[in-house]
Structures are given as C-alpha cells and as structure tokens.
Amino acid sequence: MKILKKFLFGIYFCLISLTVVLFLQIGFYSVSLPDNFYRTENDFDSFGLGAYPAVTVKNTAAESLAVSAGVKKSYEMTLMLYGIIPIKNVTVKQIKTPELIPSGEAFGLKMMTDGVMVTDYGSVEGAARFRSPAKEGGILTGDVIISVNGIKTETAAGLSEAVQKNAQKTEVVLLRGEEKLTLYLTPEKSVSDGIYKLGIWTRDSCAGIGTLTYYDRKNCSYGGLGHSVCDADTGALLPLSYGETVPVCVNSVVKGVNGRPGELCGTFMSASANGSILLNTDCGVFGHSASIPDRRELPMAFKQEIEIGKASILTTVNGMTPESYDIVIEKVDYNSSSAVKNMVIRIEDEKLLQKTGGIVQGMSGSPIIQNGKLVGAVTHVFVNDISRGYAVFAENMYEISSRLQTEENYGAAA
C-alpha cells in the first residue's frame, strides 16, 4: 500500500512539474516570439521556426481556404507548442520573396547633417568672465540646431554667421529627439577675435568606412552598415541632409584583441560618388547605387527560416574583393527590443581570426549567408569577446530599402 502511494505521488509530482514547465514555456514563447511574420506567396501550409523547432505556425481551416483562394494576403495563424498547445495568434503577410545581390564590399560614406549637432560645450572668454551661453540657455548635447535668427543652419560656419545677425538676443530653433524647441540666448563676444559665440562644439558632417550588405536590382538601391551612423561624442543618430558613397580599398587591418576591437584601414579610391545616401536609420544606411553589379541574386530569408548553426559572411579585409568566411549563428532573437541585435554570431574561420582577431570596425554590414539565402548582416562586436557579435535580420533592412523609389539617374546594371 505504501509503495502504491509513493508511486501515485511520484506520478502526481511529475504531472505538476510538467504542467509548470509547459506554462513557463508558453509564457516564454509568447513574449519572445513576434506578432508578425512574412512568408512567401503561394505558401499555404503551416511552417516552423528555424531557431525554435518546438514551435510551429498553423492555419485555421477557414484561413487556409481564404488564403488558397487568393482572397487574403494578410491573415492570422496560431503559434503552436509541440504542434498541440496554442501559444498565441500572429499576423502573417504574404509577399514575393525578395531577390538580392549580396555584396561584402567595403565602401566609404560621406554625410552632411540636416542641421548642426551640438556635441559639447565650450567656454567663451568675454570681457568679464568665461561662460557658455548655450549651456546657460538650455541647449543640450545631442540637440540639432536647424535655424538661428531665422536663418537655416547647414554648417558650423553658417551657424556662426547667423549668430552675428542679432547678437543681443539670438533665436535658436532646434530639434531634441522628435520635439521642436525655440530658445533665446545672449551670445558672448570673444575677447580674442571679437566674434559673438554661443559656447558650443558642433558637427555638420562625417566620413567613414563600412561594408555594403546588398544591392536590390529592382529599384537600383542598396543597404549597408546594418546600424545607424551616430555622432562619436554624443552617440545620437546623425540627422542626414544628404550623403554619398565612394569606392574604398582596404589597405590594412588593425588586429583586435579582447577589450580592444580592431579596425579596417582603407583609402577612398575616388572623389566621385558611386551612390547616394538617402536614409540613415537604426538598421543601416540606404540609397541608390550608380551601378548594380552583374552578379547572382540570392533569395532573402525570412526571420523564421534562420537556423542556429553554421553560416558564412562576405567581407573585405584586403583590397576591394570580398571573401567568404565561416561563422556560427549562436542565437536568434525574433522579438528583440533592438532593431539590429537580432542574432548572436561567432567567427569560426581561422583565416579571418588570424587576420583580424574577430569582428573589427568597418565590418559592420557584412552580409550573412545560410542555406543559400541572405539572412542578415553583422552590426556590433562584443568588446570582451571580439570573435562574437550581433547581427540584424536582412528582413529588417529590406523593409526600409524596398520603400525607396527607383531613381532614373541610378539605373544601369554594370
């Protein structure tokens, strides 16, 4: 009798434990999996998630009928755990699978800001004292000054000239995030040169090297870098007025070590632009290319198709020709709070590790290929383990570049 009671208690305990585990799994997947998916046109069946084999996405009978009949392009499906336990409903949108040309080429960026960004305060030596009128008047680092005394400010020199127009009461219009503010300042006349100044350091342009991720032949566009171009001092996204890309030759690599990532060193090969920069976003820079290379296109992977396991990246660490190197995708985060930290990758290729030590500055944007599809791009390095880093879904980048209209001046395939 005692043995039977122990046996029944054991079964009861196992059932309770299993129930708790299932509820924890359902809660985890409900939070960590997204509410929206893309899938290929004419696919009507259930599908799985590459990084979570236990989860599948199933149609209801009514939805399947409507989709197969061509009535719907966007519809609901249900996430299922082990094919039997519902997790939550998600929205699925059918689109034609994008075909993109992976790049991996290093490219130069030249950008002019839309307005003048405040990067730091400076003290102006006046007749009586040192002061920063901007700091006293409420200007913060990261603010973008768009006009002074009614004059649009496009450069630091233009800002200085505009201040002189009404030095007794200078009107400054600026952007602070999404908020537009108007402040009134009293500039200080510098004893050294007699010029009225606000007491700020500013930035109106930047230049650098990154890696091009892909070309889209359909609208003559490109996507690159995989993350935004930010101000080096404030970390704020640089507002783009206009920009251009130029070809780059990688001359050398500063090899990184844990705690100090390295960088690509290159030379701009021409003063002439080979593309425009139209957007500077969280997911990278985008624009039109003067020529689209005549290379093979690859289908873009939707996020649910990405698997944990082996993959490769295309990147340029010498000259102007990208090479393929082995990596491993260690983690896929379908519902990351960051637009660009969607995957964790690790460099496995001994040749690349020997050359760079791991991921280095300038490799951001290097395309990631898995199972013959473009799945994403390198974005960040882990400072304390430079063999590993973050990557963005190609899907996130394509959502932005696909909205660019075809530009007639950029169109011929090369």
Side-chain angles (χ1 to χ4, degrees):
M1 194 66 175
K2 288 183 179 180
I3 296 175
L4 180 59
K5 283 184 178 180
K6 287 183 179 180
F7 178 72
L8 291 174
F9 178 78
I11 292 177
Y12 175 75
F13 180 78
C14 289
L15 288 173
I16 293 295
S17 300
L18 182 60
T19 301
V20 171
V21 169
L22 284 174
F23 272 107
L24 289 174
Q25 281 189 302
I26 291 170
F28 168 76
Y29 286 128
S30 180
V31 172
S32 63
L33 295 178
D35 297 320
N36 300 279
F37 290 90
Y38 288 110
R39 69 181 312 193
T40 305
E41 284 181 334
N42 302 320
D43 279 355
F44 309 126
D45 299 325
S46 302
F47 61 89
L49 278 63
Y52 295 106
V55 179
T56 54
V57 189
K58 289 189 174 181
N59 274 329
T60 65
E63 291 281 11
S64 295
L65 186 61
V67 174
S68 60
V71 176
K72 289 188 174 183
K73 290 294 184 183
S74 180
Y75 50 93
E76 279 197 350
M77 298 181 76
T78 304
L79 293 180
M80 304 291 291
L81 182 61
Y82 304 119
I84 54 173
I85 304 172
I87 300 172
K88 66 176 179 179
N89 289 337
V90 295
T91 300
V92 178
K93 183 178 180 181
Q94 286 191 309
I95 63 171
K96 185 176 181 180
T97 302
E99 298 282 334
L100 304 171
I101 302 170
S103 174
E105 302 154 297
F107 74 122
L109 303 91
K110 297 178 180 179
M111 291 174 49
M112 294 297 296
T113 60
D114 188 13
V116 177
M117 176 172 282
V118 179
T119 61
D120 203 353
Y121 300 114
S123 292
V124 184
E125 183 182 3
R129 56 178 176 146
F130 286 89
R131 59 185 287 260
S132 171
K135 188 174 184 179
E136 294 170 7
I139 290 179
L140 303 179
T141 57
D143 287 348
V144 179
I145 298 173
I146 56 177
S147 74
V148 171
N149 291 324
I151 302 169
K152 184 176 180 181
T153 53
E154 297 180 334
T155 65
L159 183 150
S160 179
E161 290 176 9
V163 169
Q164 314 309 311
K165 299 293 182 181
N166 188 357
Q168 302 308 310
K169 189 179 182 182
T170 294
E171 180 191 74
V172 177
V173 180
L174 58 84
L175 294 176
R176 183 173 295 163
E178 299 296 322
E179 188 179 7
K180 188 175 182 179
L181 302 173
T182 300
L183 302 177
Y184 293 92
L185 313 178
T186 304
E188 184 70 36
K189 188 176 182 179
S190 171
V191 296
S192 63
D193 54 19
I195 296 174
Y196 286 94
K197 299 179 180 181
L198 298 180
I200 49 174
W201 293 97
T202 60
R203 178 166 286 114
D204 59 14
S205 63
C206 75
I209 293 175
T211 300
L212 201 75
T213 307
Y214 62 80
Y215 297 96
D216 186 353
R217 198 186 306 278
K218 184 177 66 178
N219 62 355
C220 303
S221 68
Y222 71 86
L225 206 59
H227 61 72
S228 60
V229 178
C230 294
D231 177 69
D233 297 307
T234 66
L237 184 146
L238 284 176
L240 175 67
S241 172
Y242 64 91
E244 58 187 27
T245 64
V246 294
V248 161
C249 178
V250 178
N251 302 320
S252 61
V253 178
V254 177
K255 187 175 181 179
V257 294
N258 290 340
R260 193 178 70 248
E263 65 177 318
L264 300 180
C265 302
T267 304
F268 287 15
M269 297 302 292
S270 171
S272 300
N274 62 357
S276 62
I277 302 176
L278 301 178
L279 299 171
N280 177 30
T281 75
D282 288 340
C283 292
V285 296
F286 304 89
H288 287 117
S289 178
S291 62
I292 304 296
D294 188 16
R295 296 204 298 263
R296 185 168 68 97
E297 296 171 315
L298 291 181
M300 183 195 79
F302 299 120
K303 56 179 173 278
Q304 66 269 19
E305 298 177 298
I306 302 170
E307 300 174 355
I308 292 172
K310 292 186 178 297
S312 62
I313 63 169
L314 292 172
T315 197
T316 304
V317 294
N318 185 46
M320 301 178 71
T321 305
E323 294 185 42
S324 177
Y325 300 97
D326 294 332
I327 69 164
V328 170
I329 298 175
E330 293 187 329
K331 180 182 177 183
V332 178
D333 189 346
Y334 292 116
N335 209 18
S336 172
S337 58
S338 167
V340 298
K341 296 179 179 180
N342 309 130
M343 296 177 277
V344 175
I345 64 168
R346 184 180 79 250
I347 305 294
E348 249 195 1
D349 198 291
E350 286 299 327
K351 182 180 175 183
L352 185 59
L353 290 171
Q354 197 74 4
K355 180 79 174 176
T356 66
I359 299 170
V360 298
Q361 295 178 51
M363 281 173 58
S364 295
S366 299
I368 302 172
I369 314 297
Q370 186 183 64
N371 298 326
K373 294 185 177 183
L374 176 65
V375 303
V378 179
T379 61
H380 297 80
V381 60
F382 292 173
V383 174
N384 293 323
D385 182 359
I386 62 171
S387 69
R388 300 169 70 234
Y390 287 115
V392 60
F393 292 144
E395 178 181 298
N396 291 2
M397 295 182 70
Y398 178 76
E399 281 183 350
I400 298 170
S401 66
S402 64
R403 296 197 292 265
L404 293 175
Q405 298 298 312
T406 301
E407 186 162 320
E408 293 180 3
N409 293 334
Y410 297 102

